[in-house]
Amino acid sequence: MAEVGVPKVSVVVPAYNCGPHIEKLVASLLRQSLPADEFEAVFVDDGSTDDTAERLDRLAAEHAHIRVLHIENSGWPSRPRNLGVENARGEYVFFADDDDWFADEALERLYACAKTNDADIVVGKMAGYGRSVPRELFRKNRFEATLGNSPLIDSLTCHKLFRRSFLNEHGLRFPEGGKRRLEDHVVVVRAYFLSRRTSVLSDYTCYHHVQRSDARNVTATQLDPSSYFVSVRDALDIVDANTEPGPLRDRLHRRWLRNEMLSRLRGKRLLNAPEDWLEQLALETQKVIQDRFAPGVAAGLPPLLRAVAYLAERGRVADLRRLARWEAGIAACGTIDELQRDDRAVTVTISAELRSAGQPVGFRAEDGRDVLVLPMEEIAPEVLDATAQVRKARLDLVARRRETGDEIFLPVTFETERITGTTGADTVHLVHRATTTIDFGALNGGRTRGSWLLKARITNVGWTEDARLPLVFICRADGSRPRIRDERKVWNRVRSAVGRRIRR
């Protein structure tokens, strides 16, 4: 039990020129299943120049559990978050952004998880809208997660539940002093190393994380490579101070190589980047790879990303562009092989494969290895050795609720078939098949009301790609057999109607 008069949770929200974008967060706070007298929201207005201050003051006047602090503009979320912690009264603190929102039971479930497991940190499942979220981390509940036993390093944003006394005990605060990229990372990485217990709550989508369409949230602007990589190095310093050279350090370092460097040097992100900015980014990436990473960091990547790292380390920007043009055409293609249903459940079999510009992604047999075939010859075969990844290739079937963005990994039986000769006499490509039985009375803990889309998700050699399937399951609240809408028929009717209009 929390102390009498002490809120269970304080939600700390930095706010700046939010306009109507804040309304979704506010509405979600007012809908929380946790009683209003058991949590508080602390909004810190960072010198807004629109009507944000007035909106928040009206809100606080109407709701006793909502408080507002007004400060001069700092230009970045760090100072508002720190002041929010200093003024918070809750046993736990959750850092939220002003344009995101909570699911209705989020605070109650996060707090219960924290108390049940005596956790210093609880990472609640997130849904992303224009933002990536660590899907693999949320495949299952992990009540004693560590950096060694789970992909915890994939979740470095601050949108988590922290024990307030834990933050204070270790002086965990966000770096202030101007615009500091990756300010989350230096706090969260330290917190993971210091935490006595960290829990991951994956059976309920707690937090909805949004990239605003107008891109006005302060961290959406384009990064400056030189200052950005200072922040990357600061995060690496924390890892180095808490690990010895070896596999764990390599795996943790790999997260920054993969997410903060290579992800920007591949595919459509590279092709859309300004020329001079790309040159700076490639140079900074080259320096970090050469200065900070042991050979095992890049060696542990899948072959596509090893190829990008290989080119980046050698400063081969023109070849990075060639590879990016090819990769921009990569897509997962899925088909429905079989569909059966009974009173409550539906059984579906799916086939899927990766293609680039309509051609299957191929692997060349060489000295007993599967070597990824790329549109260039100047990369060493050992860099493109895909043998281990081909063996570990996976097809997941995922149900996504259209109304809320909830994603559920479905249980599957899975196999991969090697098809020879399609992309050349000495090549193979992979066709993955998976079967799932969906019990709509039990899916998502019985919270199935709404429309569910089915996706086939291929993970192989450096890609994780979704193939949207044309089935929509429309469920009632009672868990009875869903109505199935085959959107191929809708698409065919639309195409026919368009064709008729053109002929006229």
Side-chain angles (χ1 to χ4, degrees), residues 193-459:
F193 280 115
L194 292 166
S195 174
R196 290 174 288 267
R197 178 170 291 141
T198 298
S199 295
V200 180
L201 181 65
S202 299
D203 57 10
Y204 184 80
T205 302
C206 297
Y207 192 74
H208 295 262
H209 194 29
V210 181
Q211 175 69 61
R212 271 166 46 181
S213 58
D214 64 1
R216 287 186 61 192
N217 38 348
V218 293
T219 55
T221 53
Q222 191 175 85
L223 61 89
D224 170 64
S226 58
S227 61
Y228 187 79
F229 278 84
V230 169
S231 298
V232 169
R233 290 171 186 267
D234 287 346
L236 297 176
D237 287 344
I238 296 170
V239 172
D240 291 355
N242 289 276
T243 60
E244 298 294 330
L248 176 60
R249 180 183 289 183
D250 288 351
R251 182 166 67 79
L252 299 181
H253 279 186
R254 197 172 299 132
R255 186 262 173 226
W256 281 274
L257 176 60
R258 184 182 65 239
N259 289 43
E260 309 307 329
M261 304 176 211
L262 303 184
S263 68
R264 294 181 165 89
L265 294 174
R266 54 182 287 207
K268 294 177 182 177
R269 290 186 75 178
L270 180 147
L271 297 176
N272 293 334
E275 189 83 14
D276 58 344
W277 181 86
L278 176 61
E279 296 282 348
Q280 293 177 54
L281 184 74
L283 177 61
E284 294 293 341
T285 297
Q286 180 184 37
K287 288 192 289 189
V288 172
I289 292 175
Q290 292 175 346
D291 296 348
R292 296 300 300 265
F293 292 151
V297 178
L301 292 167
L304 173 73
L305 293 179
R306 283 204 303 271
V308 178
Y310 179 89
L311 297 174
E313 185 177 6
R314 288 156 181 78
R316 291 168 54 179
V317 178
D319 284 334
L320 285 170
R321 288 194 188 92
R322 288 173 56 197
L323 182 57
R325 283 193 291 272
W326 177 79
E327 192 193 353
I330 291 288
C333 303
T335 58
I336 301 167
D337 295 339
E338 189 175 1
L339 175 66
Q340 300 177 344
R341 48 185 165 174
D342 57 26
D343 289 342
R344 288 169 60 106
V346 176
T347 300
V348 187
T349 299
I350 306 296
S351 295
E353 62 182 339
L354 287 174
R355 291 178 170 263
S356 177
Q359 294 297 312
V361 172
F363 301 89
R364 185 176 64 255
E366 188 171 305
D367 298 328
R369 299 178 299 184
D370 288 318
V371 177
L372 177 64
V373 177
L374 293 181
M376 55 184 64
E377 300 296 329
E378 306 89 352
I379 299 178
E382 58 268 21
V383 173
L384 301 178
D385 182 359
T387 309
Q389 283 76 22
V390 165
R391 293 194 188 112
K392 294 189 294 185
R394 188 173 70 243
L395 176 61
D396 285 305
L397 298 182
V398 179
R400 180 180 176 92
R401 182 154 51 184
R402 176 176 278 165
E403 293 82 2
T404 63
D406 291 1
E407 280 196 351
I408 307 295
F409 283 98
L410 301 171
V412 298
T413 56
F414 162 70
E415 63 181 9
T416 295
E417 181 180 1
R418 298 167 65 94
I419 309 295
T420 59
T422 305
T423 56
D426 61 343
T427 64
V428 300
H429 76 276
L430 308 179
V431 175
H432 312 286
R433 294 186 178 85
T435 299
T436 185
T437 296
I438 314 169
D439 181 348
F440 284 91
L443 179 70
N444 198 32
R447 302 180 300 275
T448 56
R449 184 176 182 178
S451 302
W452 293 83
L453 313 176
L454 190 61
K455 298 191 294 185
R457 179 171 296 159
I458 299 175
T459 302

Side-chain angles (χ1 to χ4, degrees), residues 109-129:
R109 287 173 177 264
L110 287 164
Y111 181 79
C113 180
K115 296 300 285 184
T116 299
N117 297 289
D118 192 24
D120 288 328
I121 307 171
V122 180
V123 185
K125 185 177 181 181
M126 303 169 74
Y129 304 83

Side-chain angles (χ1 to χ4, degrees), residues 41-53:
V42 181
F43 288 87
V44 184
D45 170 38
D46 193 30
S48 295
T49 57
D50 65 359
D51 65 347
T52 295

Side-chain angles (χ1 to χ4, degrees), residues 464-501:
T464 297
E465 296 288 334
D466 287 353
R468 163 78 188 279
L469 300 165
L471 294 181
V472 179
F473 301 96
I474 302 171
C475 301
R476 296 187 291 270
D478 59 6
S480 57
R481 187 173 74 173
R483 181 164 61 90
I484 301 177
R485 186 171 71 221
D486 187 340
E487 294 197 337
R488 287 171 297 190
K489 297 177 182 177
V490 177
W491 297 339
N492 289 337
R493 285 198 297 270
V494 170
R495 281 195 291 267
S496 297
V498 170
R500 287 195 298 272
R501 284 198 295 271

Side-chain angles (χ1 to χ4, degrees), residues 32-106:
Q32 286 301 297
S33 60
L34 191 65
D37 61 355
E38 295 184 9
F39 78 97
E40 65 175 359
V42 181
F43 288 87
V44 184
D45 170 38
D46 193 30
S48 295
T49 57
D50 65 359
D51 65 347
T52 295
E54 291 78 9
R55 282 173 183 256
L56 294 175
D57 286 340
R58 287 196 301 271
L59 186 67
E62 294 168 2
H63 302 281
H65 65 305
I66 294 178
R67 294 188 288 135
V68 182
L69 305 176
H70 299 283
I71 64 173
E72 292 184 7
N73 181 250
S74 69
W76 211 245
S78 291
R79 179 158 175 74
R81 286 175 181 149
N82 290 341
L83 288 172
V85 174
E86 297 297 335
N87 285 271
R89 299 174 301 185
E91 184 182 358
Y92 284 83
V93 173
F94 192 104
F95 296 104
D97 285 346
D98 57 18
D99 41 10
D100 298 337
W101 73 93
F102 291 94
D104 292 357
E105 300 174 22

